[in-house]
Amino acid sequence: MTTQVTTPATRRLLVGEELADIRAQFPALEQSINGQPLSYLDSGATALRPNRVLDVERAFLATENAAVHRGAHELAARATVRFENARQAVADYVGAADPDTIVWTANATDALNLVATGIAGASRGRGAPASARLALQPGDEIVVTEAEHHANLIPWQELALATGAQLRWVAVRDDGTWGLDELDDVLTERTRIVAFSHVSNVTGLVAPVADVVERARRLGAVTVLDACQSAPHGSLDLDALGVDFAAFSGHKMLGPSGIGVLYGRAEMLAALPPARFGGSMITEVTMAGAEYLPAPHRFEAGTQPVSQAVALAEATRMLTEVGPDRVHAHEAALADRLLAGLAELDGIRVVGPARGIERGGLVSFVVDGIHAHDAGQFLDAQGVAVRVGHHCAQPLHRRLGVAATVRASFYLYSTPDEVDRLLSALVDTRTFFGGAA
Ligand SMILES: Cc1ncc(COP(=O)(O)O)c(C=O)c1O
């Protein structure tokens, strides 16, 4: 496996006035929870929203809101420009040279379903001949990993059921990680789709994307990248990575909920049959049938999340101003601090890559003898907000032999002090539940 070792240079905290200015943008951080200042360590689930994003969305809604792409009036024209400029901003942020490779969806789950449902349509002959390259035959193989979020697993299970294709999965090791050896064990001449997360939302494992893409290409397979935990937390160059499709959600990257993105290489979006039908996605409709607009609009049926797109563009501007590499380095430093602290405590089992190996800005662990939900409640009582449960990755947890883990996840506004508060609250948790500290 290509493991990337982290160095002090790749782990660097945002500090001083800059960090204070960033935090001042987030009103949620000003509150106390259960009488304690909030330590929000659940950004992997959803990020806090900064004032500048809230302000931009509110201002747009207050004076510029209109349905896009159809009105003859000034407001509709302005809203359309803002909407399409937002598409350009998001394209720039994720390294997509062509804004038409960016499709608005409801969230990442919706984006992944759009691809799987579109391929099911192609397999039934919809959109042929252009879609023929995506069509699956019985016996073809779809490859995922055992560590996927359900959003990047169940759509492929359904696609396999619909087409007679076989779902295969990359086995994870005892610590929940996987590498190219495990991938090579499942790739065959019949592999047609390889769907995998860039950064695992449980283990933080960073997938060797370029190597996976190269192997998939050799087999003529389509690659689908779940970029939910990477797009918000570091620089992403989707064109350069060479993936065919990628998906991510606005709410995890300082933007609103209700909006996500499907990225697709131009020829892939041209081949993918649409999966939702109705207004705004057609050129011509008769009582017998309809012709569809080119991508991205053919995938955007119905009234669109316009204010959400405008706000998401503002979120990408904030992330760009701070610098995605610096966001990543900050989170890497926090994750390293937490890993170091956890190593000092008895009875903690961390899942995912060992300390010193590249990982996303999150750490999941099990506390011996204490159910994750009890730990979560105890931590909450001390103002420390973490995620507990299976994190929508039941097969991975089953493989790890646990029902649930505790997950702390960071963002650009997280601080070393919050990590230390988690660590000291964990010591108290162990004492409270009668374990060794
Ligand atoms: C890796 C990963 N994939 C997919 C999703 C689904 O995102 P959403 O619920 O915004 O569609 C998540 C959300 O937790 C995630 O972490």
Side-chain angles (χ1 to χ4, degrees):
M1 151 157 187
T2 42
T3 39
Q4 238 182 307
V5 175
T6 63
T7 62
T10 53
R11 303 189 300 262
R12 198 189 181 100
L13 288 171
L14 298 165
V15 291
E17 244 177 63
E18 183 179 18
L19 184 57
D21 287 349
I22 289 170
R23 285 178 66 81
Q25 279 282 326
F26 293 87
L29 292 172
E30 285 160 21
Q31 66 196 307
S32 293
I33 298 283
N34 297 321
Q36 306 278 350
L38 169 64
S39 288
Y40 185 75
L41 301 179
D42 197 17
S43 295
T46 201
L48 302 179
R49 274 193 237 171
N51 282 326
R52 60 186 277 183
V53 170
L54 297 167
D55 292 348
V56 161
E57 185 166 14
R58 189 175 195 292
F60 175 84
L61 285 169
T63 58
E64 289 185 298
N65 188 45
V68 295
H69 286 305
R70 27 195 141 129
H73 55 85
E74 172 66 20
L75 270 192
R78 277 198 233 159
T80 303
V81 169
R82 296 290 301 275
F83 183 62
E84 292 304 327
N85 285 350
R87 197 188 302 277
Q88 179 72 61
V90 171
D92 290 345
Y93 178 76
V94 295
D98 177 1
D100 288 347
T101 57
I102 299 296
V103 177
W104 301 122
T105 62
N107 47 38
T109 304
D110 187 41
L112 292 162
N113 274 277
L114 206 57
V115 180
T117 314
I119 295 177
S123 309
R124 291 192 307 272
R126 296 290 299 149
S131 67
R133 61 189 298 183
L134 292 175
L136 297 185
Q137 313 291 333
D140 283 344
E141 292 171 0
I142 304 167
V143 168
V144 294
T145 83
E146 214 177 356
E148 294 312 306
H149 188 285
H150 299 160
N152 196 31
L153 171 61
I154 304 172
W156 308 115
Q157 293 174 340
E158 287 292 323
L159 178 61
L161 280 175
T163 59
Q166 197 195 340
L167 187 74
R168 307 196 64 191
W169 50 90
V170 178
V172 300
R173 308 174 191 127
D174 290 346
D175 62 358
T177 64
W178 60 273
L180 294 174
D181 289 345
E182 288 80 9
L183 175 68
D184 287 338
D185 286 344
V186 290
L187 292 179
T188 74
E189 292 297 319
R190 302 244 23 200
T191 306
R192 300 299 317 283
I193 297 171
V194 182
F196 62 109
S197 50
H198 193 172
V199 173
S200 163
N201 66 312
V202 180
T203 64
L205 176 80
V206 182
V209 182
D211 294 308
V212 179
V213 168
E214 195 231 297
R215 281 162 162 78
R217 282 241 175 103
R218 249 190 272 143
L219 298 167
V222 167
T223 44
V224 183
L225 187 71
D226 175 350
C228 266
Q229 297 294 344
S230 58
H233 301 286
S235 28
L236 189 60
D237 191 340
L238 289 174
D239 284 355
L241 283 175
V243 290
D244 293 311
F245 295 103
F248 51 95
S249 282
H251 69 93
K252 291 185 194 288
M253 49 195 293
L254 312 182
S257 52
I259 188 162
V261 170
L262 171 65
Y263 160 91
R265 289 201 302 119
E267 68 256 45
M268 286 295 154
L269 289 183
L272 187 73
R276 313 207 194 311
F277 307 93
S280 308
M281 48 85 70
I282 51 85
T283 53
E284 194 70 44
V285 184
T286 66
M287 289 314 292
E291 283 173 19
Y292 307 132
L293 284 163
H297 305 294
R298 64 190 343 224
F299 299 106
E300 296 174 354
T303 303
Q304 290 298 295
V306 185
S307 67
Q308 292 91 330
V310 169
L312 179 55
E314 183 64 14
T316 64
R317 280 190 277 276
M318 179 166 177
L319 290 168
T320 304
E321 278 168 30
V322 176
D325 287 336
R326 297 179 68 230
V327 172
H328 176 71
H330 178 68
E331 293 178 20
L334 295 171
D336 191 65
R337 187 182 187 99
L338 179 55
L339 288 169
L342 290 173
E344 299 288 311
L345 303 181
D346 287 333
I348 302 276
R349 175 183 165 203
V350 173
V351 300
R355 192 174 166 214
I357 304 294
E358 174 93 84
R359 62 152 69 219
L362 58 92
V363 178
S364 299
F365 54 93
V366 182
V367 187
D368 264 2
I370 303 176
H371 195 284
H373 289 91
D374 292 336
Q377 262 180 12
F378 193 88
L379 294 172
D380 185 49
Q382 309 199 37
V384 179
V386 293
R387 193 117 195 122
V388 296
H390 52 64
H391 319 302
C392 296
Q394 277 188 352
L396 175 63
H397 280 76
R398 199 167 292 118
R399 167 66 181 88
L400 295 170
V402 293
T405 48
V406 178
R407 182 184 76 189
S409 53
F410 308 114
Y411 214 171
L412 71 169
Y413 42 70
S414 308
T415 66
D417 179 57
E418 290 174 328
V419 173
D420 296 347
R421 284 188 56 207
L422 166 61
L423 286 165
S424 95
L426 275 171
V427 172
D428 295 347
T429 312
R430 306 243 21 214
T431 312
F432 181 82
F433 285 97

